[in-house]
Amino acid sequence: MREKAAGLRLTIDLAALAGNWRRLARLAAQAECAAVVKADAYGIGIAAAGPALAAAGARTFFVALPEEGVALRRALAESPVPQAPIYVLGGFFHEAAELYAAHRLSPVLGHLGEVERWRRWQERGQAALHVDTGMNRLGLSLEEAENLARSGGPGEGVDLLLSHLACADEPAHGASEAQLRRFLEAKALLRLPRASLANSAGIHLSPTFHQDLVRPGIALYGGASHPQAVSDPVVTAEARILQVRTVPRGDTVGYGAVETMKRTSRIAILAAGYADGYLRAAGSSDAASGALVCIEGHLAPLVGRVSMDLIAVDVTDLPQGLAAPGRWAELFGPNIDINAVARHAGTIAYELLTGLSRRACRRYVGQEG
């Protein structure tokens, strides 16, 4: 019934998600392959993604915030690994210390104040330590890491050293090698049991970057992470066709009158827009073409601006009657590359996936078992 009343439907292929994880695990065969499921598993739903990844073989997970860790722990309750380590990249929220204890969450300690609070906390379990090697976001500087090593290290239970690559998606960029050198220096200083540096893109760098554990994120969900990356689409987004109308040559379509019809055209109006996470910048104008959609195997270009709830597409060249009210147009999925849509919108697949609307009808396919 939900789909009958929806303007946007999302088909989420959990078998493709599992297949992407297995492919990455093979690429980093000498290291453990974890799974990053922050931002509600990049928009696809942590309650479904967590168990699917666990069934595929993932044994360690990363989230951004403790509340995400709580949701994941609950999702894993009936999975093969209900006690799997869950690392919180945002660190140790001491005001929420009881959540870390109750749900066995492991903070990634990112500054000396957190390290000290962690040392004083009586109920601590496992934790990781983040060193900054060039991103300049979270993490201890190398000088701080050296001082910490001299003072006895981060404390009991800290079993993983990690850092994050800034430019791994650009193979020719020298920043990754420089970060690796700094990371190995920190690793030698702190001597923690395990180390993790590679994100999705970093998995495609040399095996030295893999260390003991790799942390894929976007590559699990079908987004591009590296020029050599192969990732199957996980999300298919489709918008309902509401109406097909004829627009005379010389008329404009949509807000701002930014696109003028160069011929009399058939225009299909779709029930999705930027309120659903389909970004306004993906639209078209007289100055620049926009993204494409796919209707029954035929491509159709956007016309004019994307509005809050509606998108216009030109179906003039499609067979008569193929685009009809009640049918569905693919916004991205197996026929429309999400990365191409993102480029038209001046962004990346991460933003499209994590911005997917809560009002969309979601259906999950490909569950194992």
Side-chain angles (χ1 to χ4, degrees):
M1 179 60 70
R2 177 79 199 281
E3 183 177 314
K4 294 178 180 179
L8 178 69
R9 71 181 181 189
L10 305 175
T11 302
I12 297 164
D13 188 344
L14 297 176
L17 175 70
N20 288 337
W21 182 87
R22 292 190 183 105
R23 184 183 295 113
L24 293 162
R26 288 193 296 271
L27 284 174
Q30 301 307 308
E32 179 186 352
C33 187
V36 179
V37 293
K38 62 183 180 177
D40 200 24
Y42 285 60
I44 77 167
I46 200 168
L53 289 163
R59 295 295 177 263
T60 302
F61 295 85
F62 288 83
V63 296
L65 302 168
E67 64 178 355
E68 295 176 337
V70 172
L72 177 60
R73 181 63 72 201
R74 289 170 177 160
L76 293 177
E78 303 300 323
S79 80
V81 285
Q83 306 298 323
I86 299 174
Y87 289 95
V88 179
L89 292 164
F92 183 44
F93 295 17
H94 67 280
E95 307 96 322
E98 69 280 0
L99 292 180
Y100 292 81
H103 300 279
R104 300 175 303 285
L105 306 181
S106 301
V108 178
L109 308 174
H111 59 84
L112 293 176
E114 280 190 321
V115 172
E116 185 56 34
R117 284 197 293 270
W118 175 257
R119 283 170 164 171
R120 293 198 304 263
W121 189 39
Q122 298 301 312
E123 298 182 65
R124 64 180 181 268
Q126 287 181 307
L129 183 67
H130 191 155
V131 292
D132 176 49
T133 55
M135 178 72 85
N136 281 307
R137 297 191 309 183
L138 301 175
L140 277 67
S141 68
L142 284 181
E143 182 181 357
E144 288 173 324
E146 184 174 4
N147 291 336
L148 184 63
R150 287 174 178 168
S151 68
E156 183 181 350
V158 180
D159 64 349
L160 177 66
L161 179 72
L162 67 80
S163 191
H164 195 66
L165 296 167
C167 303
D169 56 340
E170 302 176 55
H173 204 296
S176 295
E177 291 292 341
Q179 285 193 260
L180 176 60
R181 289 192 297 271
R182 297 185 194 111
F183 186 71
L184 294 176
E185 183 180 342
K187 180 180 175 182
L189 285 169
L190 292 159
R191 300 183 181 276
L192 296 181
R194 296 196 302 163
S196 176
L197 179 60
N199 52 10
S200 290
I203 293 172
H204 295 274
L205 302 178
S206 75
T208 310
F209 285 86
H210 296 168
Q211 296 293 304
D212 301 297
L213 181 144
V214 297
R215 311 187 310 272
I218 189 64
L220 296 174
Y221 306 99
S225 62
H226 187 276
Q228 297 174 3
V230 175
S231 186
D232 293 328
V234 172
V235 180
T236 300
E238 298 170 289
R240 183 187 298 273
I241 299 174
L242 297 177
Q243 183 182 122
V244 179
R245 60 190 303 116
T246 299
V247 178
R249 179 177 181 270
D251 273 15
T252 61
V253 176
Y255 282 117
V258 296
E259 184 155 11
T260 305
M261 294 295 94
K262 298 176 178 60
R263 60 179 178 174
T264 297
S265 303
R266 285 186 295 123
I267 303 298
I269 309 301
L270 312 182
Y274 59 75
D276 299 292
Y278 193 86
L279 300 179
R280 186 172 181 265
S284 180
S285 70
D286 290 333
S289 60
L292 301 172
V293 305
C294 184
I295 301 172
E296 300 291 331
H298 295 264
L299 300 180
L302 268 64
V303 180
R305 288 179 178 165
V306 174
S307 54
M308 182 181 289
D309 309 298
L310 301 172
I311 300 169
V313 298
D314 188 343
V315 296
T316 308
D317 295 328
L318 273 62
Q320 190 75 32
L322 193 65
R327 291 186 175 174
W328 296 86
E330 181 186 313
L331 304 181
F332 53 80
N335 300 293
I336 301 292
D337 181 14
I338 188 173
N339 303 294
V341 177
R343 286 192 294 271
H344 275 291
T347 186
I348 51 180
Y350 301 70
E351 188 173 10
L352 286 178
L353 286 172
T354 58
L356 291 170
S357 173
R358 293 286 96 191
R359 71 180 179 179
C361 170
R362 291 165 180 250
R363 55 183 185 174
Y364 291 89
V365 299
Q367 289 98 330
E368 296 187 356

